[in-house]
Amino acid sequence: MHAQLERDFDRFKRELPRDFPAHVRETYGIDLTARYLGERVPHPIGKGSGQLSLNPAQLEDDAAAGLAFSVLKTVIAEDETGARTMAAWAIHETKMKVERRTAGTGRAGWTVTWKGRGWDGSFGDYLGLVRAGRDLTRAGRLLVVPSVKYHLPRLTEPFRENEYRHTTAQLAGAWREPPLLVEQDFSPTLAGDTLADDRAQILRWLREVPAHIRAAAPIPVRVAVKLMNARFDDAFQVEMMEACRGADALVVFNRLFDPGQGVAYGGWDLSDRNLRVLDAMAPGVSPGLTGTGNVTSGRMILDYARHGCESVQLHTFFQLPLSEYPATHGSRPQRALHALVFHPQDGLIAGMLELESRGQIERQRGELGFLDLSAHAHRTD
């Protein structure tokens, strides 16, 4: 199988098979089926919310590349008059800068730096993007999920229910058929804001926001909460996860925030903390998990899976210089998939075959299953 993987890695440098999960299943006996927000997807690799998912052309490219899902740029909730309590997060993006970042351990990784925040166009334009994503989803080409930053009140303030109702109703109208899937974004810039100075305030948001979204939805809705890395210790990260029992899924965890530079960042510091917190999580405290943070190899995908994650979201790895990808042709998403899945040392296939050789996973009815990793994830009590 390793010799076959070497051959596939070399020949797919020019072009991935149109249905590479089927090829992986037939050739290696590995079922890459994964899950995001309760939806089964053909493999675990999706695109996180950001500058790479803000127009229909990008979604078409993602579908053509073979990504499993794509989360849209985060829109800021508004009421029927267009007023937005969280309008400070609708800031036009500056140019993104892809750069190396050295972790505290001395390990060099990648991060993308920019000063913008959420969707800064009109809500009507965003609904058009949602409809384009709906059509791709209905056609079975790409699961597309809108992302929203809803009102987050101070501890003594009420939630702005009119913003929840109007935004969710408009999204439901654009999506039409239930269930509506929504990702609530607790962005890393929120972690750097004075709003996030109060632990009790953060925990209130996490406990109550999913219920407010459900109450505002005219059709059945599933809610994923993308958790930020708060400026507190690991124990509080676990407490945040425990507070999210009302969510259908958690995306763990958004980028770290550098208060000195005023920017969010990734790299090895991010994945080290994320996996450390997931390892400390008590069994059964959370819904379906999706990992994010420094996902630059199939082995990192497996690290998240073995900590309970049913899929992963990437952003930075889709923006590296072309020279960093082993593939010689194709879009960045295609080149990323080639490396993440077929790399003969660090790819998803190689990692799963290695786990099998160590006796850490077993074939069921002749196949290794990606979802078996999260189902049997080790958690410390």
Side-chain angles (χ1 to χ4, degrees):
M1 281 192 179
H2 185 76
Q4 177 66 48
L5 184 56
E6 293 271 9
R7 289 193 293 271
D8 279 350
F9 179 67
D10 187 60
R11 68 190 180 116
F12 295 156
K13 286 180 179 179
R14 294 187 61 86
E15 185 178 14
L16 278 178
R18 183 172 295 275
D19 187 356
F20 73 84
H23 172 81
V24 171
R25 192 167 192 170
E26 179 180 346
T27 306
Y28 302 97
I30 295 176
D31 180 5
L32 293 179
T33 299
R35 191 179 294 115
Y36 171 63
L37 239 182
E39 294 291 312
R40 290 175 72 84
V41 288
H43 62 84
I45 303 164
K47 179 180 282 184
S49 174
Q51 281 297 91
L52 303 182
S53 51
L54 49 65
N55 61 60
Q58 290 171 321
L59 298 181
E60 283 287 346
D61 287 346
D62 291 346
L67 290 186
F69 62 93
S70 185
V71 183
L72 299 180
K73 179 74 174 174
T74 300
V75 72
I76 311 304
E78 62 181 50
D79 66 17
E80 60 278 1
T81 71
R84 297 176 295 184
T85 309
M86 307 293 286
W89 271 264
I91 295 177
H92 184 70
E93 301 287 347
T94 54
K95 183 176 175 60
M96 292 185 290
K97 183 179 180 182
V98 182
E99 54 192 349
R100 288 284 192 176
R101 184 174 180 109
T102 302
T105 58
R107 214 168 172 185
W110 289 97
T111 189
V112 174
T113 304
W114 74 98
K115 294 291 184 75
R117 294 182 175 182
W119 177 269
D120 64 338
S122 74
F123 190 31
D125 287 346
Y126 191 83
L127 294 175
L129 183 61
V130 171
R131 286 190 286 269
R134 173 200 68 199
D135 293 343
L136 287 170
T137 301
R138 297 284 185 271
R141 298 181 59 207
L142 177 74
L143 175 65
V144 179
V145 177
S147 172
V148 186
K149 184 180 291 298
Y150 287 94
H151 174 231
L152 301 174
R154 296 196 179 275
L155 197 57
T156 57
E157 296 175 345
F159 284 84
R160 298 291 178 91
E161 302 291 358
N162 51 348
E163 292 185 13
Y164 279 78
R165 280 194 304 270
H166 178 72
T167 300
T168 312
Q170 292 295 308
L171 291 173
W175 196 257
R176 295 182 186 169
E177 297 177 18
L180 171 66
L181 306 182
V182 175
E183 187 172 288
Q184 155 64 20
D185 181 19
F186 285 87
S187 64
T189 52
L190 177 65
D193 193 87
T194 55
L195 266 178
D197 284 342
D198 189 319
R199 297 187 188 211
Q201 195 160 269
I202 294 172
L203 296 177
R204 179 201 178 195
W205 298 337
L206 299 177
R207 282 193 299 266
E208 299 183 24
V209 163
H212 284 278
I213 297 173
R214 291 186 210 288
I219 61 175
V221 61
R222 291 187 207 147
V223 180
V225 172
K226 188 171 188 177
L227 285 170
M228 62 185 174
N229 267 293
R231 290 173 290 136
F232 302 111
D233 57 16
D234 290 0
F236 185 69
Q237 287 297 119
V238 175
E239 197 173 350
M240 288 169 62
M241 295 180 72
E242 292 173 342
C244 284
R245 292 177 184 270
D248 296 289
L250 299 181
V251 183
V252 288
F253 299 93
N254 223 322
R255 298 189 301 160
L256 298 164
F257 190 78
D258 185 331
Q261 297 184 27
V263 296
Y265 66 95
W268 289 99
D269 284 336
L270 175 57
S271 57
D272 286 349
R273 188 189 201 208
N274 287 357
L275 293 171
R276 188 173 66 240
V277 170
L278 288 172
D279 195 49
M281 182 180 67
V285 301
S286 68
L289 300 177
T290 289
T292 190
N294 196 36
V295 181
T296 56
S297 71
R299 290 187 180 275
M300 183 61 75
I301 296 172
L302 294 175
D303 282 343
Y304 277 108
R306 297 178 74 196
H307 284 78
C309 296
E310 300 176 327
S311 56
V312 292
Q313 292 185 7
L314 290 67
H315 198 265
T316 298
F317 196 60
F318 294 131
Q319 301 177 72
L320 302 188
L322 291 180
S323 59
E324 294 295 320
Y325 303 105
T328 57
H329 293 73
S331 64
R332 277 182 171 80
Q334 287 173 319
R335 295 178 191 224
L337 286 171
H338 169 257
L340 293 170
V341 177
F342 290 98
H343 194 285
Q345 284 79 44
D346 295 327
L348 195 51
I349 297 169
M352 291 189 70
L353 293 176
E354 184 177 309
L355 290 174
E356 180 188 26
S357 71
R358 293 177 180 173
Q360 293 176 294
I361 53 173
E362 296 180 354
R363 293 180 183 263
Q364 304 296 326
R365 296 178 293 280
E367 291 185 339
L368 299 176
F370 176 80
L371 284 175
D372 289 339
L373 294 168
S374 59
H376 299 97
H378 170 71
R379 307 276 173 72
T380 55
D381 292 326

